[in-house]
Amino acid sequence: MKIIWSDFASKSLRSIYQYYKDVANEDVAKKIKTNIFISTKKLNNYPELGQIEKNLSKLGEGHRYLVSGHYKIIYKAIKEGILITDVFDTRQDPIKINDPHR
């Protein structure tokens, strides 16, 4: 299966990388980013690996998530493959997962 990153998820990942590059160092930022990518690669063979994301169930699109460190990698199956829709910091209020402007 092809892994596709939405613009929103890519922006979230860039923000996470930049934050850790600024407050820690580039090695820490790279490690977090690499671990997120490693987690998503598992979806090639196991697209239903993650749990159902209950906070997005009202959309009826079958969103699931994987956890990598403090981050939820939100995704859904589409005809082209697996679409990563968000990378969400689990230390935030879970209700924010529905906020497209965070």
Side-chain angles (χ1 to χ4, degrees):
M1 294 208 125
K2 182 176 180 183
I3 304 295
I4 304 159
W5 284 73
S6 71
D7 290 340
F8 187 81
S10 295
K11 181 180 174 189
S12 295
L13 186 57
R14 280 193 301 273
S15 294
I16 292 163
Y17 178 86
Q18 191 61 51
Y19 173 80
Y20 281 99
K21 185 177 173 192
D22 293 345
V23 300
N25 61 54
E26 191 168 8
D27 290 338
V28 170
K30 283 181 182 178
K31 183 175 180 179
I32 291 168
K33 185 172 124 179
T34 298
N35 287 338
I36 289 171
F37 281 132
I38 288 169
S39 294
T40 62
K41 287 186 181 200
K42 295 174 187 175
L43 296 173
N44 282 321
N45 296 320
Y46 306 103
E48 294 186 356
L49 178 66
Q51 296 181 31
I52 293 171
E53 178 51 64
K54 293 179 183 177
N55 291 312
L56 297 174
S57 63
K58 67 181 179 182
L59 299 175
E61 297 179 10
H63 286 90
R64 294 179 169 270
Y65 71 92
L66 298 174
V67 176
S68 178
H70 292 290
Y71 298 96
K72 270 187 178 182
I73 303 162
I74 311 294
Y75 70 95
K76 64 182 179 179
I78 58 174
K79 67 179 180 176
E80 295 88 354
I82 299 294
L83 178 64
I84 308 297
T85 61
D86 195 2
V87 181
F88 183 77
D89 189 331
T90 59
R91 295 168 289 187
Q92 298 181 72
D93 183 345
I95 199 71
K96 286 185 175 183
I97 207 164
N98 291 302
D99 182 2
H101 304 294
R102 60 177 153 77

